[in-house]
Amino acid sequence: EPEVTQTPSHQVTQMGQEVILRCVPISNHLYFYWYRQILGQKVEFLVSFYNNEISEKSEIFDDQFSVERPDGSNFTLKIRSTKLEDSAMYFCASSAGLGYGYTFGSGTRLTVV
Amino acid sequence: AQSVAQPEDQVNVAEGNPLTVKCTYSVSGNPYLFWYVQYPNRGLQFLLKYITGDNLVKGSYGFEAEFNKSQTSFHLKKPSALVSDSALYFCAVRDRSSASKIIFGSGTRLSIRP
């Protein structure tokens, strides 16, 4: 069964540093998403991406965040200057279309120290 | 704006008994509805979805959910719980009339005792 792959599984970074979280969505999917989950709590929407541009973003997704699909296969989330409160599990997801569910990756646990 | 509510933080059930995890939703149009499960230190796994058609939807691991439009609910059910069903369950909704994102509920921790 096709999978969404996320790397790394765990990232530790110092406050103020930049991090890039990487995702390889399912190859024939068209819609891509980032969500985050703090300490096993609610899963929060960050951003959706379609046709090489952001289609929607939440208020969490401020200027320190950016997304990119650099080469047609990878989908990345960059956090420019990490803060302690950015510590969370970050999930990438992809979807074949609007009537379909999402397939989630296994997540990247980001720890900011 | 769309929203979804899971009124119970935790549900405790004895193994072999039926289980229900409650979910209600609010959307401006007709909904797409989903259930996901999360095991400890794992990602989100798709269980089932309602798009259209039969109000009773069957999914993975023997779970099912019933779409009730008048009550705006989409409760998750299983006739006979297993200890291995213990996990965190998330209900999610999307308004099908727009290209909006899926919104998740706050999650319900299901604990099945032997």
Side-chain angles (χ1 to χ4, degrees), chain A residues 33 35 37 40-43 45 56 91 97-102 104 106 109, chain B residues 32 34 36 38 41 43-44 49 51 88 90 94 99-102 104-105:
Chain A
Y33 307 87
Y35 284 76
Q37 184 183 34
Q41 296 177 20
K42 189 169 184 175
V43 179
F45 170 76
E56 191 171 359
F91 291 106
L98 298 181
Y100 297 82
Y102 297 177
F104 281 87
S106 54
R109 183 175 297 282
Chain B
Y32 293 130
F34 308 87
Y36 285 83
Q38 186 178 33
N41 300 313
L44 295 158
K49 66 180 179 183
I51 302 296
L88 189 56
F90 290 97
R94 181 166 71 198
S100 55
K101 69 279 187 184
I102 286 178
F104 287 84

PDB file of all heavy atoms in Angstrom, chain A residues 33 35 37 40-43 45 56 91 97-102 104 106 109, chain B residues 32 34 36 38 41 43-44 49 51 88 90 94 99-102 104-105:
ATOM      1  N   TYR A  33      -0.562  18.548   2.670  1.00  0.00           N
ATOM      2  CA  TYR A  33      -0.926  19.244   3.894  1.00  0.00           C
ATOM      3  C   TYR A  33       0.155  19.054   4.956  1.00  0.00           C
ATOM      4  O   TYR A  33       0.856  18.045   4.979  1.00  0.00           O
ATOM      5  CB  TYR A  33      -2.238  18.662   4.464  1.00  0.00           C
ATOM      6  CG  TYR A  33      -3.373  18.615   3.480  1.00  0.00           C
ATOM      7  CD1 TYR A  33      -3.535  17.526   2.639  1.00  0.00           C
ATOM      8  CD2 TYR A  33      -4.303  19.653   3.399  1.00  0.00           C
ATOM      9  CE1 TYR A  33      -4.577  17.473   1.720  1.00  0.00           C
ATOM     10  CE2 TYR A  33      -5.358  19.604   2.486  1.00  0.00           C
ATOM     11  CZ  TYR A  33      -5.481  18.511   1.655  1.00  0.00           C
ATOM     12  OH  TYR A  33      -6.516  18.463   0.752  1.00  0.00           O
ATOM     13  N   TYR A  35       0.145  19.273   9.246  1.00  0.00           N
ATOM     14  CA  TYR A  35      -0.571  19.418  10.506  1.00  0.00           C
ATOM     15  C   TYR A  35       0.449  19.278  11.629  1.00  0.00           C
ATOM     16  O   TYR A  35       1.535  18.719  11.434  1.00  0.00           O
ATOM     17  CB  TYR A  35      -1.624  18.311  10.676  1.00  0.00           C
ATOM     18  CG  TYR A  35      -2.872  18.483   9.862  1.00  0.00           C
ATOM     19  CD1 TYR A  35      -2.884  18.208   8.498  1.00  0.00           C
ATOM     20  CD2 TYR A  35      -4.058  18.917  10.450  1.00  0.00           C
ATOM     21  CE1 TYR A  35      -4.047  18.370   7.752  1.00  0.00           C
ATOM     22  CE2 TYR A  35      -5.225  19.075   9.715  1.00  0.00           C
ATOM     23  CZ  TYR A  35      -5.200  18.803   8.369  1.00  0.00           C
ATOM     24  OH  TYR A  35      -6.358  18.957   7.627  1.00  0.00           O
ATOM     25  N   GLN A  37       0.762  18.365  16.044  1.00  0.00           N
ATOM     26  CA  GLN A  37       0.091  17.859  17.242  1.00  0.00           C
ATOM     27  C   GLN A  37       1.032  18.046  18.419  1.00  0.00           C
ATOM     28  O   GLN A  37       2.155  17.536  18.407  1.00  0.00           O
ATOM     29  CB  GLN A  37      -0.257  16.374  17.072  1.00  0.00           C
ATOM     30  CG  GLN A  37      -1.034  15.793  18.232  1.00  0.00           C
ATOM     31  CD  GLN A  37      -1.282  14.311  18.056  1.00  0.00           C
ATOM     32  OE1 GLN A  37      -0.463  13.597  17.496  1.00  0.00           O
ATOM     33  NE2 GLN A  37      -2.417  13.837  18.526  1.00  0.00           N
ATOM     34  N   GLY A  40       0.367  14.799  22.005  1.00  0.00           N
ATOM     35  CA  GLY A  40      -0.760  13.886  21.916  1.00  0.00           C
ATOM     36  C   GLY A  40      -2.108  14.551  22.064  1.00  0.00           C
ATOM     37  O   GLY A  40      -3.097  13.889  22.386  1.00  0.00           O
ATOM     38  N   GLN A  41      -2.138  15.848  21.831  1.00  0.00           N
ATOM     39  CA  GLN A  41      -3.401  16.574  21.938  1.00  0.00           C
ATOM     40  C   GLN A  41      -4.031  16.748  20.565  1.00  0.00           C
ATOM     41  O   GLN A  41      -3.880  15.886  19.711  1.00  0.00           O
ATOM     42  CB  GLN A  41      -3.139  17.917  22.619  1.00  0.00           C
ATOM     43  CG  GLN A  41      -2.654  17.768  24.053  1.00  0.00           C
ATOM     44  CD  GLN A  41      -2.328  19.098  24.678  1.00  0.00           C
ATOM     45  OE1 GLN A  41      -2.777  20.142  24.225  1.00  0.00           O
ATOM     46  NE2 GLN A  41      -1.526  19.075  25.726  1.00  0.00           N
ATOM     47  N   LYS A  42      -4.734  17.840  20.376  1.00  0.00           N
ATOM     48  CA  LYS A  42      -5.484  18.053  19.152  1.00  0.00           C
ATOM     49  C   LYS A  42      -4.559  18.168  17.947  1.00  0.00           C
ATOM     50  O   LYS A  42      -3.459  18.702  18.037  1.00  0.00           O
ATOM     51  CB  LYS A  42      -6.311  19.322  19.293  1.00  0.00           C
ATOM     52  CG  LYS A  42      -7.300  19.543  18.174  1.00  0.00           C
ATOM     53  CD  LYS A  42      -8.251  20.667  18.504  1.00  0.00           C
ATOM     54  CE  LYS A  42      -9.305  20.810  17.426  1.00  0.00           C
ATOM     55  NZ  LYS A  42     -10.328  21.816  17.776  1.00  0.00           N
ATOM     56  N   VAL A  43      -5.020  17.659  16.833  1.00  0.00           N
ATOM     57  CA  VAL A  43      -4.283  17.755  15.574  1.00  0.00           C
ATOM     58  C   VAL A  43      -4.705  19.063  14.896  1.00  0.00           C
ATOM     59  O   VAL A  43      -5.869  19.249  14.558  1.00  0.00           O
ATOM     60  CB  VAL A  43      -4.602  16.549  14.675  1.00  0.00           C
ATOM     61  CG1 VAL A  43      -3.850  16.654  13.358  1.00  0.00           C
ATOM     62  CG2 VAL A  43      -4.256  15.249  15.392  1.00  0.00           C
ATOM     63  N   PHE A  45      -4.413  22.035  11.939  1.00  0.00           N
ATOM     64  CA  PHE A  45      -4.085  22.323  10.550  1.00  0.00           C
ATOM     65  C   PHE A  45      -3.080  23.463  10.468  1.00  0.00           C
ATOM     66  O   PHE A  45      -3.211  24.479  11.160  1.00  0.00           O
ATOM     67  CB  PHE A  45      -5.364  22.694   9.808  1.00  0.00           C
ATOM     68  CG  PHE A  45      -5.147  23.251   8.433  1.00  0.00           C
ATOM     69  CD1 PHE A  45      -4.820  22.421   7.378  1.00  0.00           C
ATOM     70  CD2 PHE A  45      -5.280  24.619   8.202  1.00  0.00           C
ATOM     71  CE1 PHE A  45      -4.638  22.937   6.099  1.00  0.00           C
ATOM     72  CE2 PHE A  45      -5.102  25.139   6.935  1.00  0.00           C
ATOM     73  CZ  PHE A  45      -4.772  24.297   5.878  1.00  0.00           C
ATOM     74  N   GLU A  56      -4.515  27.213   1.373  1.00  0.00           N
ATOM     75  CA  GLU A  56      -5.089  27.703   2.627  1.00  0.00           C
ATOM     76  C   GLU A  56      -4.052  27.568   3.731  1.00  0.00           C
ATOM     77  O   GLU A  56      -3.222  26.661   3.698  1.00  0.00           O
ATOM     78  CB  GLU A  56      -6.337  26.900   2.990  1.00  0.00           C
ATOM     79  CG  GLU A  56      -7.154  27.483   4.128  1.00  0.00           C
ATOM     80  CD  GLU A  56      -8.496  26.777   4.298  1.00  0.00           C
ATOM     81  OE1 GLU A  56      -8.806  25.849   3.526  1.00  0.00           O
ATOM     82  OE2 GLU A  56      -9.233  27.181   5.217  1.00  0.00           O
ATOM     83  N   PHE A  91       2.929  16.378  11.155  1.00  0.00           N
ATOM     84  CA  PHE A  91       2.466  15.354  10.222  1.00  0.00           C
ATOM     85  C   PHE A  91       2.269  15.951   8.835  1.00  0.00           C
ATOM     86  O   PHE A  91       1.646  16.996   8.683  1.00  0.00           O
ATOM     87  CB  PHE A  91       1.128  14.760  10.684  1.00  0.00           C
ATOM     88  CG  PHE A  91       1.219  13.932  11.920  1.00  0.00           C
ATOM     89  CD1 PHE A  91       0.744  14.418  13.125  1.00  0.00           C
ATOM     90  CD2 PHE A  91       1.768  12.658  11.890  1.00  0.00           C
ATOM     91  CE1 PHE A  91       0.816  13.658  14.282  1.00  0.00           C
ATOM     92  CE2 PHE A  91       1.849  11.893  13.041  1.00  0.00           C
ATOM     93  CZ  PHE A  91       1.375  12.397  14.232  1.00  0.00           C
ATOM     94  N   GLY A  97      -7.769  13.819  -3.906  1.00  0.00           N
ATOM     95  CA  GLY A  97      -8.761  14.797  -4.323  1.00  0.00           C
ATOM     96  C   GLY A  97      -9.642  15.187  -3.167  1.00  0.00           C
ATOM     97  O   GLY A  97      -9.489  14.704  -2.047  1.00  0.00           O
ATOM     98  N   LEU A  98     -10.588  16.056  -3.437  1.00  0.00           N
ATOM     99  CA  LEU A  98     -11.382  16.655  -2.364  1.00  0.00           C
ATOM    100  C   LEU A  98     -12.317  15.651  -1.709  1.00  0.00           C
ATOM    101  O   LEU A  98     -12.691  15.815  -0.557  1.00  0.00           O
ATOM    102  CB  LEU A  98     -12.172  17.848  -2.899  1.00  0.00           C
ATOM    103  CG  LEU A  98     -11.326  18.993  -3.447  1.00  0.00           C
ATOM    104  CD1 LEU A  98     -12.223  20.117  -3.919  1.00  0.00           C
ATOM    105  CD2 LEU A  98     -10.344  19.488  -2.395  1.00  0.00           C
ATOM    106  N   GLY A  99     -12.707  14.613  -2.399  1.00  0.00           N
ATOM    107  CA  GLY A  99     -13.634  13.637  -1.832  1.00  0.00           C
ATOM    108  C   GLY A  99     -12.956  12.473  -1.151  1.00  0.00           C
ATOM    109  O   GLY A  99     -13.604  11.504  -0.764  1.00  0.00           O
ATOM    110  N   TYR A 100     -11.647  12.569  -1.015  1.00  0.00           N
ATOM    111  CA  TYR A 100     -10.877  11.477  -0.459  1.00  0.00           C
ATOM    112  C   TYR A 100     -10.326  11.839   0.916  1.00  0.00           C
ATOM    113  O   TYR A 100     -10.137  13.003   1.249  1.00  0.00           O
ATOM    114  CB  TYR A 100      -9.693  11.146  -1.381  1.00  0.00           C
ATOM    115  CG  TYR A 100     -10.109  10.655  -2.750  1.00  0.00           C
ATOM    116  CD1 TYR A 100     -10.465  11.546  -3.751  1.00  0.00           C
ATOM    117  CD2 TYR A 100     -10.151   9.290  -3.023  1.00  0.00           C
ATOM    118  CE1 TYR A 100     -10.862  11.097  -4.995  1.00  0.00           C
ATOM    119  CE2 TYR A 100     -10.539   8.833  -4.275  1.00  0.00           C
ATOM    120  CZ  TYR A 100     -10.892   9.740  -5.256  1.00  0.00           C
ATOM    121  OH  TYR A 100     -11.275   9.302  -6.492  1.00  0.00           O
ATOM    122  N   GLY A 101     -10.073  10.808   1.691  1.00  0.00           N
ATOM    123  CA  GLY A 101      -9.409  11.038   2.963  1.00  0.00           C
ATOM    124  C   GLY A 101      -7.940  11.353   2.740  1.00  0.00           C
ATOM    125  O   GLY A 101      -7.446  11.315   1.615  1.00  0.00           O
ATOM    126  N   TYR A 102      -7.277  11.690   3.802  1.00  0.00           N
ATOM    127  CA  TYR A 102      -5.859  11.959   3.723  1.00  0.00           C
ATOM    128  C   TYR A 102      -5.089  10.695   4.118  1.00  0.00           C
ATOM    129  O   TYR A 102      -5.533   9.933   4.973  1.00  0.00           O
ATOM    130  CB  TYR A 102      -5.436  13.040   4.714  1.00  0.00           C
ATOM    131  CG  TYR A 102      -6.014  14.406   4.527  1.00  0.00           C
ATOM    132  CD1 TYR A 102      -5.707  15.409   5.433  1.00  0.00           C
ATOM    133  CD2 TYR A 102      -6.863  14.735   3.474  1.00  0.00           C
ATOM    134  CE1 TYR A 102      -6.219  16.686   5.310  1.00  0.00           C
ATOM    135  CE2 TYR A 102      -7.392  16.010   3.342  1.00  0.00           C
ATOM    136  CZ  TYR A 102      -7.054  16.984   4.268  1.00  0.00           C
ATOM    137  OH  TYR A 102      -7.564  18.258   4.153  1.00  0.00           O
ATOM    138  N   PHE A 104      -1.684   9.987   6.006  1.00  0.00           N
ATOM    139  CA  PHE A 104      -0.704  10.689   6.836  1.00  0.00           C
ATOM    140  C   PHE A 104       0.617   9.938   6.872  1.00  0.00           C
ATOM    141  O   PHE A 104       0.654   8.706   6.846  1.00  0.00           O
ATOM    142  CB  PHE A 104      -1.220  10.832   8.267  1.00  0.00           C
ATOM    143  CG  PHE A 104      -2.219  11.937   8.441  1.00  0.00           C
ATOM    144  CD1 PHE A 104      -3.561  11.695   8.207  1.00  0.00           C
ATOM    145  CD2 PHE A 104      -1.826  13.195   8.834  1.00  0.00           C
ATOM    146  CE1 PHE A 104      -4.494  12.713   8.354  1.00  0.00           C
ATOM    147  CE2 PHE A 104      -2.750  14.215   8.987  1.00  0.00           C
ATOM    148  CZ  PHE A 104      -4.092  13.975   8.745  1.00  0.00           C
ATOM    149  N   SER A 106       4.142   9.166   9.183  1.00  0.00           N
ATOM    150  CA  SER A 106       4.277   8.762  10.589  1.00  0.00           C
ATOM    151  C   SER A 106       4.762   9.897  11.483  1.00  0.00           C
ATOM    152  O   SER A 106       4.829   9.738  12.691  1.00  0.00           O
ATOM    153  CB  SER A 106       5.220   7.566  10.699  1.00  0.00           C
ATOM    154  OG  SER A 106       6.439   7.867  10.066  1.00  0.00           O
ATOM    155  N   ARG A 109       8.952  14.211  15.048  1.00  0.00           N
ATOM    156  CA  ARG A 109       8.883  14.822  16.378  1.00  0.00           C
ATOM    157  C   ARG A 109       9.952  15.895  16.466  1.00  0.00           C
ATOM    158  O   ARG A 109      11.146  15.584  16.417  1.00  0.00           O
ATOM    159  CB  ARG A 109       9.083  13.783  17.469  1.00  0.00           C
ATOM    160  CG  ARG A 109       8.953  14.364  18.891  1.00  0.00           C
ATOM    161  CD  ARG A 109       9.045  13.289  19.945  1.00  0.00           C
ATOM    162  NE  ARG A 109       7.976  12.325  19.841  1.00  0.00           N
ATOM    163  CZ  ARG A 109       6.729  12.506  20.258  1.00  0.00           C
ATOM    164  NH1 ARG A 109       6.401  13.656  20.839  1.00  0.00           N
ATOM    165  NH2 ARG A 109       5.827  11.554  20.119  1.00  0.00           N
TER     166      ARG A 109
ATOM    167  N   TYR B  32     -18.045  15.914   4.360  1.00  0.00           N
ATOM    168  CA  TYR B  32     -17.281  14.685   4.312  1.00  0.00           C
ATOM    169  C   TYR B  32     -16.874  14.425   5.762  1.00  0.00           C
ATOM    170  O   TYR B  32     -16.407  15.326   6.437  1.00  0.00           O
ATOM    171  CB  TYR B  32     -16.012  14.839   3.465  1.00  0.00           C
ATOM    172  CG  TYR B  32     -16.217  15.062   1.995  1.00  0.00           C
ATOM    173  CD1 TYR B  32     -15.568  16.108   1.331  1.00  0.00           C
ATOM    174  CD2 TYR B  32     -17.026  14.220   1.244  1.00  0.00           C
ATOM    175  CE1 TYR B  32     -15.725  16.318  -0.023  1.00  0.00           C
ATOM    176  CE2 TYR B  32     -17.190  14.421  -0.121  1.00  0.00           C
ATOM    177  CZ  TYR B  32     -16.542  15.478  -0.744  1.00  0.00           C
ATOM    178  OH  TYR B  32     -16.702  15.678  -2.096  1.00  0.00           O
ATOM    179  N   PHE B  34     -14.828  11.748   8.623  1.00  0.00           N
ATOM    180  CA  PHE B  34     -13.752  10.771   8.718  1.00  0.00           C
ATOM    181  C   PHE B  34     -13.516  10.379  10.175  1.00  0.00           C
ATOM    182  O   PHE B  34     -13.778  11.159  11.088  1.00  0.00           O
ATOM    183  CB  PHE B  34     -12.428  11.355   8.178  1.00  0.00           C
ATOM    184  CG  PHE B  34     -12.520  11.956   6.806  1.00  0.00           C
ATOM    185  CD1 PHE B  34     -12.889  13.284   6.649  1.00  0.00           C
ATOM    186  CD2 PHE B  34     -12.234  11.202   5.680  1.00  0.00           C
ATOM    187  CE1 PHE B  34     -12.974  13.853   5.386  1.00  0.00           C
ATOM    188  CE2 PHE B  34     -12.312  11.762   4.415  1.00  0.00           C
ATOM    189  CZ  PHE B  34     -12.686  13.085   4.269  1.00  0.00           C
ATOM    190  N   TYR B  36     -10.129   8.748  12.317  1.00  0.00           N
ATOM    191  CA  TYR B  36      -8.732   8.324  12.313  1.00  0.00           C
ATOM    192  C   TYR B  36      -8.392   7.779  13.690  1.00  0.00           C
ATOM    193  O   TYR B  36      -8.971   8.183  14.702  1.00  0.00           O
ATOM    194  CB  TYR B  36      -7.798   9.499  12.003  1.00  0.00           C
ATOM    195  CG  TYR B  36      -7.782   9.916  10.557  1.00  0.00           C
ATOM    196  CD1 TYR B  36      -8.752  10.767  10.041  1.00  0.00           C
ATOM    197  CD2 TYR B  36      -6.795   9.442   9.693  1.00  0.00           C
ATOM    198  CE1 TYR B  36      -8.741  11.138   8.709  1.00  0.00           C
ATOM    199  CE2 TYR B  36      -6.773   9.815   8.361  1.00  0.00           C
ATOM    200  CZ  TYR B  36      -7.745  10.660   7.876  1.00  0.00           C
ATOM    201  OH  TYR B  36      -7.730  11.028   6.548  1.00  0.00           O
ATOM    202  N   GLN B  38      -5.020   6.822  16.337  1.00  0.00           N
ATOM    203  CA  GLN B  38      -3.591   7.036  16.596  1.00  0.00           C
ATOM    204  C   GLN B  38      -3.168   6.146  17.754  1.00  0.00           C
ATOM    205  O   GLN B  38      -3.652   6.294  18.873  1.00  0.00           O
ATOM    206  CB  GLN B  38      -3.320   8.503  16.929  1.00  0.00           C
ATOM    207  CG  GLN B  38      -1.845   8.822  17.072  1.00  0.00           C
ATOM    208  CD  GLN B  38      -1.594  10.290  17.357  1.00  0.00           C
ATOM    209  OE1 GLN B  38      -2.397  10.951  18.019  1.00  0.00           O
ATOM    210  NE2 GLN B  38      -0.491  10.818  16.849  1.00  0.00           N
ATOM    211  N   ASN B  41       2.779   6.894  20.023  1.00  0.00           N
ATOM    212  CA  ASN B  41       4.000   7.215  19.271  1.00  0.00           C
ATOM    213  C   ASN B  41       3.904   6.828  17.797  1.00  0.00           C
ATOM    214  O   ASN B  41       4.908   6.508  17.170  1.00  0.00           O
ATOM    215  CB  ASN B  41       5.215   6.528  19.903  1.00  0.00           C
ATOM    216  CG  ASN B  41       5.431   6.972  21.331  1.00  0.00           C
ATOM    217  OD1 ASN B  41       5.409   8.159  21.637  1.00  0.00           O
ATOM    218  ND2 ASN B  41       5.599   6.018  22.218  1.00  0.00           N
ATOM    219  N   GLY B  43       1.682   7.593  13.855  1.00  0.00           N
ATOM    220  CA  GLY B  43       0.939   8.566  13.067  1.00  0.00           C
ATOM    221  C   GLY B  43      -0.551   8.291  13.099  1.00  0.00           C
ATOM    222  O   GLY B  43      -1.042   7.456  13.862  1.00  0.00           O
ATOM    223  N   LEU B  44      -1.272   9.011  12.272  1.00  0.00           N
ATOM    224  CA  LEU B  44      -2.728   8.889  12.181  1.00  0.00           C
ATOM    225  C   LEU B  44      -3.099   7.874  11.099  1.00  0.00           C
ATOM    226  O   LEU B  44      -2.667   7.999   9.958  1.00  0.00           O
ATOM    227  CB  LEU B  44      -3.336  10.241  11.839  1.00  0.00           C
ATOM    228  CG  LEU B  44      -3.160  11.312  12.906  1.00  0.00           C
ATOM    229  CD1 LEU B  44      -3.286  12.690  12.311  1.00  0.00           C
ATOM    230  CD2 LEU B  44      -4.180  11.106  14.010  1.00  0.00           C
ATOM    231  N   LYS B  49     -14.663   6.588   6.238  1.00  0.00           N
ATOM    232  CA  LYS B  49     -15.143   7.892   5.805  1.00  0.00           C
ATOM    233  C   LYS B  49     -16.587   7.775   5.333  1.00  0.00           C
ATOM    234  O   LYS B  49     -17.032   6.726   4.871  1.00  0.00           O
ATOM    235  CB  LYS B  49     -14.281   8.460   4.676  1.00  0.00           C
ATOM    236  CG  LYS B  49     -14.360   7.666   3.389  1.00  0.00           C
ATOM    237  CD  LYS B  49     -13.485   8.277   2.300  1.00  0.00           C
ATOM    238  CE  LYS B  49     -13.562   7.440   1.031  1.00  0.00           C
ATOM    239  NZ  LYS B  49     -12.683   7.949  -0.044  1.00  0.00           N
ATOM    240  N   ILE B  51     -18.907   9.715   2.587  1.00  0.00           N
ATOM    241  CA  ILE B  51     -18.924  10.689   1.487  1.00  0.00           C
ATOM    242  C   ILE B  51     -20.372  10.886   1.028  1.00  0.00           C
ATOM    243  O   ILE B  51     -20.879  12.000   0.969  1.00  0.00           O
ATOM    244  CB  ILE B  51     -18.047  10.220   0.311  1.00  0.00           C
ATOM    245  CG1 ILE B  51     -16.601  10.005   0.786  1.00  0.00           C
ATOM    246  CG2 ILE B  51     -18.098  11.215  -0.843  1.00  0.00           C
ATOM    247  CD1 ILE B  51     -15.914  11.253   1.271  1.00  0.00           C
ATOM    248  N   LEU B  88      -6.070   6.466  20.650  1.00  0.00           N
ATOM    249  CA  LEU B  88      -6.683   7.808  20.573  1.00  0.00           C
ATOM    250  C   LEU B  88      -7.427   7.910  19.242  1.00  0.00           C
ATOM    251  O   LEU B  88      -6.856   7.627  18.189  1.00  0.00           O
ATOM    252  CB  LEU B  88      -5.576   8.859  20.664  1.00  0.00           C
ATOM    253  CG  LEU B  88      -5.937  10.336  20.818  1.00  0.00           C
ATOM    254  CD1 LEU B  88      -6.823  10.564  22.032  1.00  0.00           C
ATOM    255  CD2 LEU B  88      -4.659  11.152  20.941  1.00  0.00           C
ATOM    256  N   PHE B  90      -9.780  10.124  16.528  1.00  0.00           N
ATOM    257  CA  PHE B  90     -10.100  11.473  16.085  1.00  0.00           C
ATOM    258  C   PHE B  90     -11.189  11.427  15.018  1.00  0.00           C
ATOM    259  O   PHE B  90     -11.072  10.715  14.014  1.00  0.00           O
ATOM    260  CB  PHE B  90      -8.869  12.159  15.472  1.00  0.00           C
ATOM    261  CG  PHE B  90      -7.795  12.504  16.463  1.00  0.00           C
ATOM    262  CD1 PHE B  90      -6.712  11.650  16.640  1.00  0.00           C
ATOM    263  CD2 PHE B  90      -7.858  13.668  17.200  1.00  0.00           C
ATOM    264  CE1 PHE B  90      -5.712  11.963  17.553  1.00  0.00           C
ATOM    265  CE2 PHE B  90      -6.864  13.992  18.113  1.00  0.00           C
ATOM    266  CZ  PHE B  90      -5.786  13.134  18.280  1.00  0.00           C
ATOM    267  N   ARG B  94     -14.920  17.772   6.734  1.00  0.00           N
ATOM    268  CA  ARG B  94     -14.636  18.792   5.730  1.00  0.00           C
ATOM    269  C   ARG B  94     -15.934  19.140   5.028  1.00  0.00           C
ATOM    270  O   ARG B  94     -16.733  18.261   4.716  1.00  0.00           O
ATOM    271  CB  ARG B  94     -13.605  18.320   4.717  1.00  0.00           C
ATOM    272  CG  ARG B  94     -13.270  19.390   3.681  1.00  0.00           C
ATOM    273  CD  ARG B  94     -12.044  19.061   2.907  1.00  0.00           C
ATOM    274  NE  ARG B  94     -12.256  17.950   1.999  1.00  0.00           N
ATOM    275  CZ  ARG B  94     -11.264  17.237   1.451  1.00  0.00           C
ATOM    276  NH1 ARG B  94     -10.020  17.513   1.734  1.00  0.00           N
ATOM    277  NH2 ARG B  94     -11.538  16.256   0.649  1.00  0.00           N
ATOM    278  N   ALA B  99     -13.058  23.831  -1.140  1.00  0.00           N
ATOM    279  CA  ALA B  99     -11.782  23.107  -1.081  1.00  0.00           C
ATOM    280  C   ALA B  99     -11.121  23.307   0.261  1.00  0.00           C
ATOM    281  O   ALA B  99      -9.945  23.622   0.347  1.00  0.00           O
ATOM    282  CB  ALA B  99     -10.878  23.594  -2.199  1.00  0.00           C
ATOM    283  N   SER B 100     -11.884  23.132   1.302  1.00  0.00           N
ATOM    284  CA  SER B 100     -11.362  23.428   2.635  1.00  0.00           C
ATOM    285  C   SER B 100     -10.645  22.223   3.214  1.00  0.00           C
ATOM    286  O   SER B 100     -10.797  21.104   2.766  1.00  0.00           O
ATOM    287  CB  SER B 100     -12.503  23.851   3.551  1.00  0.00           C
ATOM    288  OG  SER B 100     -13.506  22.864   3.566  1.00  0.00           O
ATOM    289  N   LYS B 101      -9.853  22.524   4.253  1.00  0.00           N
ATOM    290  CA  LYS B 101      -9.077  21.465   4.861  1.00  0.00           C
ATOM    291  C   LYS B 101      -9.942  20.600   5.761  1.00  0.00           C
ATOM    292  O   LYS B 101     -11.046  20.990   6.157  1.00  0.00           O
ATOM    293  CB  LYS B 101      -7.905  22.043   5.665  1.00  0.00           C
ATOM    294  CG  LYS B 101      -8.342  22.787   6.935  1.00  0.00           C
ATOM    295  CD  LYS B 101      -8.803  24.168   6.662  1.00  0.00           C
ATOM    296  CE  LYS B 101      -9.068  24.938   7.952  1.00  0.00           C
ATOM    297  NZ  LYS B 101      -9.628  26.276   7.675  1.00  0.00           N
ATOM    298  N   ILE B 102      -9.426  19.439   6.125  1.00  0.00           N
ATOM    299  CA  ILE B 102     -10.044  18.596   7.144  1.00  0.00           C
ATOM    300  C   ILE B 102      -9.754  19.202   8.512  1.00  0.00           C
ATOM    301  O   ILE B 102      -8.621  19.590   8.801  1.00  0.00           O
ATOM    302  CB  ILE B 102      -9.506  17.153   7.053  1.00  0.00           C
ATOM    303  CG1 ILE B 102     -10.107  16.441   5.850  1.00  0.00           C
ATOM    304  CG2 ILE B 102      -9.796  16.386   8.319  1.00  0.00           C
ATOM    305  CD1 ILE B 102      -9.594  15.028   5.662  1.00  0.00           C
ATOM    306  N   PHE B 104      -9.979  18.465  12.623  1.00  0.00           N
ATOM    307  CA  PHE B 104     -10.054  17.348  13.554  1.00  0.00           C
ATOM    308  C   PHE B 104     -10.701  17.758  14.859  1.00  0.00           C
ATOM    309  O   PHE B 104     -10.562  18.894  15.327  1.00  0.00           O
ATOM    310  CB  PHE B 104      -8.644  16.826  13.856  1.00  0.00           C
ATOM    311  CG  PHE B 104      -8.040  16.053  12.716  1.00  0.00           C
ATOM    312  CD1 PHE B 104      -7.405  16.695  11.675  1.00  0.00           C
ATOM    313  CD2 PHE B 104      -8.125  14.672  12.694  1.00  0.00           C
ATOM    314  CE1 PHE B 104      -6.857  15.977  10.623  1.00  0.00           C
ATOM    315  CE2 PHE B 104      -7.588  13.937  11.654  1.00  0.00           C
ATOM    316  CZ  PHE B 104      -6.954  14.594  10.610  1.00  0.00           C
ATOM    317  N   GLY B 105     -11.392  16.796  15.466  1.00  0.00           N
ATOM    318  CA  GLY B 105     -11.853  16.968  16.828  1.00  0.00           C
ATOM    319  C   GLY B 105     -10.702  16.851  17.803  1.00  0.00           C
ATOM    320  O   GLY B 105      -9.553  16.590  17.408  1.00  0.00           O
TER     321      GLY B 105
END
